[in-house]
């Protein structure tokens, strides 16, 4: 008898097969009839246990199961009698692999805190399973796009001697004789070295921010894909991001229709994002917000409510570009047309999902960059290697960093970032 998974159920209709997985649910219909919702990694199926067909002894074993018991089931897959495209399983035998007594997550509504404390179990639920599958797709879609477009994977370090995104969110760790090291906030600075040998590079890994913010969009450990390219300037940098994000949108719709449905994601709305993105300068956005009655100044950054207003009524993401230099990072290139501005662009997702990418053309002039490092109050010797890149064959270059979980939130329509990463790390949670 063949061992199969629910991925291959269609090809096995009418044949006796074996499946291994877990009991999602079960229900007694009469003394002779029980239903078992069996699940494996791929899907759920209703298994029908009918005593006259199974025999007394095998039917007794079905009575021993409980929520999340691991089992192997033997029987015959069939087309569902009433629901087209669905399947049923006629049970002949069932063997318990691992018991599951008093599974803590039941049918009643549990609070978020309880679910998060049981994250190791909660991830078995249908929605959580769907979110993790979408995460997988988004990961590979990003890599596919970059690999096809001549970006080399380049692994930046996680233990670093200095800050890339400001010193207020650094995690400090003791480090032998040097005293302290810091967990990376973004691999960007290292990628800038990488492009001088590989042309176009990307990294993809965990980054860390000691964010004091308790919002639905902030983690202290999240994943970032940083990309960097030599000889690419501001406009082209945005073009690459747009192409990449549209590729991700199409790929998720193509590969995860089922998961998007499980999550009640409005797929038609998501589809609309596969169209030219809009671009606005920071100043234009401020004017627009002022018109909507928001009290905000020309050198202010945006909070979550403003971000939501930026894309209100837009089906596509919007690049906000050319920012006042005081509110952006030291490495961003000055705008030739207005030295008070930098050539940075944030990509704001529609439907209220906020900033998903931060990027910019980089300052490639040694002396200007040195001035910026000094005025930030950073120790120049920590950045000597970074300044070297502007001393030996400097070139115009640009890059960007995708907040991986933010992008998954938008794709899956999940409002809380904690549900799109296997084990979320937040200001008040590091368990399990
Ligand atoms: O905008 P950020 O800070 O940009 C950088 O770190 C650049 N060095 C990237 C680069 O140019 N290579 O971070 C990039 C993205 C943000 O747009 C946001 O989507 C996400 O990372 N992000 C967070 N996601 C979850 N939790 C947090 N605490 C986040 N902080 C930023
Ligand atoms: Mg940012």
């Amino acid at each position: 008898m063949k061992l199969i998974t629910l991925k291959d159920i269609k090809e096995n209709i009418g044949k006796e097969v074996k499946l291994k997985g877990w009991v999602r649910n079960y229900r007694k219909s009469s003394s002779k009839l029980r239903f078992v919702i069996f699940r494996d990694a791929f899907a759920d199926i209703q298994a029908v246990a009918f005593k006259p067909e199974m025999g007394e002894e095998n039917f007794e074993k079905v009575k021993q199961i409980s929520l999340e018991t691991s089992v192997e089931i033997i029987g015959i897959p069939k087309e569902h009698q009433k629901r087209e495209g669905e399947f049923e399983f006629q049970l002949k035998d069932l063997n318990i692999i691992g018991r599951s007594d008093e599974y803590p997550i039941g049918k009643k509504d549990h609070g978020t805190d309880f679910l998060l404390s049981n994250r190791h179990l909660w991830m078995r639920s249908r929605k959580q399973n769907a979110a993790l599958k979408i995460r997988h797709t988004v990961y590979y879609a990003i890599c596919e796009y970059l690999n096809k477009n001549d970006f080399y994977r380049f692994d930046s370090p996680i233990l670093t001697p200095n800050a890339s995104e400001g010193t207020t969110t650094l995690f400090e760790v003791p480090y032998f004789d040097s005293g302290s090291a810091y967990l990376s906030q973004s691999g960007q600075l290292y990628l800038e070295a990488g492009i001088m040998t590989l042309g176009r590079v990307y990294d993809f890994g965990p980054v860390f921010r000691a964010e004091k913010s308790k919002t639905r969009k902030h983690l202290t450990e999240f994943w970032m894909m940083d990309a960097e390219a030599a000889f690419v300037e501001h406009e082209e940098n945005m073009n690459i991001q747009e192409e990449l994000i549209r590729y991700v949108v199409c790929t998720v719709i193509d590969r995860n229709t089922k998961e998007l449905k499980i999550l009640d994601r409005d797929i038609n709305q998501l589809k609309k994002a596969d169209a030219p993105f809009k671009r606005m300068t920071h100043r234009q956005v401020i004017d627009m917000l002022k018109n909507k009655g928001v009290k905000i100044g020309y050198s202010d950054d945006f909070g979550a409510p403003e971000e939501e207003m930026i894309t209100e009524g837009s089906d596509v993401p919007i690049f906000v570009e050319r920012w006042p230099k005081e509110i952006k990072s030291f490495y961003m290139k000055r705008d030739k047309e207005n030295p008070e501005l930098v050539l940075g662009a944030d990509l704001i997702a529609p439907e209220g999902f906020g900033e998903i990418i931060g990027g910019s053309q980089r300052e490639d002039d040694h002396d200007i960059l040195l001035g910026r490092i000094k005025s930030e109050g950073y120790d120049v010797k920590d950045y000597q290697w970074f300044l070297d890149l502007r001393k030996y064959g400097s070139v115009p270059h640009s890059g960007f960093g995708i907040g991986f979980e933010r992008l998954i939130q938008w794709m899956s329509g999940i409002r809380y970032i904690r549900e799109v990463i296997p084990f979320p790390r937040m200001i008040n949670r590091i368990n399990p």
Side-chain angles (χ1 to χ4, degrees):
M1 186 194 326
K2 213 161 101 190
L3 175 67
I4 66 158
T5 66
L6 288 175
K7 183 163 66 90
D8 300 322
I9 196 79
K10 246 192 193 146
E11 294 81 68
N12 287 283
I13 298 296
K15 300 176 196 159
E16 186 168 311
V17 292
K18 185 195 275 185
L19 287 154
K20 294 187 183 191
W22 293 262
V23 172
R24 183 175 310 280
N25 215 339
Y26 57 94
R27 167 163 74 84
K28 181 179 163 182
S29 177
S30 69
S31 61
K32 283 189 279 187
L33 184 64
R34 279 170 191 249
F35 296 99
V36 181
I37 307 297
F38 169 92
R39 66 168 182 91
D40 69 6
F42 304 99
D44 287 13
I45 196 169
Q46 173 165 276
V48 183
F50 188 46
K51 187 145 98 176
E53 269 172 35
M54 293 185 78
E56 182 88 46
E57 201 181 315
N58 288 353
F59 191 75
E60 273 309 303
K61 291 193 273 183
V62 178
K63 291 186 184 167
Q64 308 301 312
I65 59 168
S66 51
L67 292 184
E68 291 302 319
T69 304
S70 51
V71 292
E72 60 175 27
I73 57 173
I74 293 153
I76 301 170
K78 300 187 164 167
E79 309 266 5
H80 197 287
Q81 286 178 352
K82 289 178 199 134
R83 290 194 290 266
E84 208 188 324
E86 288 186 34
F87 305 97
E88 251 185 357
F89 196 81
Q90 185 198 330
L91 209 55
K92 293 199 152 175
D93 197 5
L94 175 150
N95 294 310
I96 290 177
I97 299 170
R99 293 162 53 98
S100 168
D101 296 333
E102 291 172 55
Y103 187 67
I105 302 179
K107 273 176 233 156
K108 64 171 192 282
D109 269 347
H110 296 289
T112 307
D113 205 52
F114 176 86
L115 290 172
L116 282 171
S117 296
N118 286 284
R119 181 63 177 159
H120 52 297
L121 304 174
W122 182 31
M123 58 174 62
R124 302 179 185 192
S125 78
R126 285 183 92 214
K127 289 200 171 185
Q128 298 304 313
N129 171 284
L132 293 175
K133 284 175 178 164
I134 291 170
R135 182 180 173 102
H136 174 87
T137 304
V138 176
Y139 184 94
Y140 281 101
I142 293 172
C143 295
E144 277 162 23
Y145 175 86
L146 292 166
N147 294 345
K148 268 189 235 160
N149 286 280
D150 296 333
F151 283 81
Y152 285 102
R153 183 173 170 112
F154 179 89
D155 297 316
S156 53
I158 284 175
L159 287 168
T160 61
N162 50 4
S164 73
E165 302 302 316
T167 48
T168 54
T169 64
L170 279 176
F171 273 112
E172 197 172 341
V173 288
Y175 202 77
F176 308 106
D177 292 343
S178 9
S180 287
Y182 305 96
L183 298 182
S184 176
Q185 299 163 304
S186 156
Q188 179 201 322
L189 305 194
Y190 293 95
L191 294 193
E192 290 188 51
I195 56 161
M196 307 291 179
T197 175
L198 294 169
R200 293 174 167 218
V201 294
Y202 69 97
D203 64 15
F204 210 142
V207 291
F208 305 86
R209 305 229 176 145
E211 297 265 10
K212 302 262 167 21
S213 5
K214 275 193 200 166
T215 79
R216 56 184 178 83
K217 293 180 190 165
H218 284 88
L219 295 167
T220 53
E221 176 184 299
F222 63 100
W223 280 59
M224 177 137 39
M225 190 291 303
D226 296 283
E228 197 72 24
F231 309 109
V232 164
E233 303 202 31
H234 177 60
E235 294 292 327
E236 193 185 350
N237 191 36
M238 290 189 286
N239 294 342
I240 294 171
Q241 293 169 53
E242 176 172 334
E243 236 184 61
L244 166 54
I245 295 300
R246 289 174 64 177
Y247 180 75
V248 172
V249 168
C250 295
T251 308
V252 168
I253 292 172
D254 183 44
R255 296 184 197 162
N256 289 114
T257 318
K258 182 178 150 195
E259 287 73 26
L260 293 170
K261 281 188 186 145
I262 289 174
L263 293 166
D264 300 319
R265 177 70 171 103
D266 183 343
I267 300 179
N268 284 327
Q269 187 58 43
L270 184 56
K271 257 187 203 143
K272 291 183 191 157
D274 179 28
F277 292 2
K278 293 179 194 147
R279 295 173 188 198
M280 294 175 81
T281 63
H282 175 270
R283 199 180 172 87
Q284 285 170 330
V285 172
I286 298 290
D287 282 333
M288 188 254 291
L289 291 171
K290 279 179 185 287
N291 280 337
K292 289 189 180 181
V294 180
K295 287 206 174 63
I296 193 165
Y298 287 105
S299 48
D300 286 342
D301 203 347
F302 308 121
E306 288 83 33
E307 280 184 3
E308 286 183 29
M309 292 176 87
I310 294 171
T311 53
E312 224 167 44
S314 173
D315 292 328
V316 295
I318 298 179
F319 283 107
V320 180
E321 54 162 333
R322 296 178 201 265
W323 291 69
K325 65 177 194 306
E326 316 76 68
I327 55 171
K328 283 294 181 194
S329 298
F330 73 97
Y331 51 70
M332 293 193 181
K333 190 173 174 64
R334 297 268 177 102
D335 186 351
K336 265 201 220 100
E337 283 149 37
N338 180 352
E340 291 308 305
L341 304 181
V342 289
L343 296 174
D346 281 0
L347 187 62
I348 316 296
E351 300 178 73
F353 286 97
E355 181 193 333
I356 51 171
I357 301 186
S360 72
Q361 182 163 350
R362 317 305 188 188
E363 185 50 72
D364 48 36
D365 180 276
H366 179 277
D367 295 345
I368 297 178
L369 185 62
L370 178 61
R372 293 276 293 182
I373 289 171
K374 283 183 179 160
S375 65
E376 289 287 328
Y378 294 162
D379 191 342
V380 175
K381 90 177 170 326
D382 286 342
Y383 292 87
Q384 199 50 61
W385 69 270
F386 190 60
L387 283 160
D388 270 0
L389 304 175
R390 279 75 180 165
K391 246 165 85 182
Y392 305 109
S394 187
V395 298
H397 64 286
S398 305
F400 57 94
I402 300 180
F404 183 43
E405 285 78 16
R406 300 267 183 96
L407 178 56
I408 305 166
Q409 277 190 273
W410 174 37
M411 292 299 104
S412 57
I414 292 178
R415 292 278 150 195
Y416 292 90
I417 199 166
R418 60 188 183 227
E419 295 186 32
V420 299
I421 185 164
F423 291 99
R425 299 293 178 241
M426 291 169 292
I427 183 165
N428 52 359
R429 177 170 294 278
I430 195 161
N431 265 311

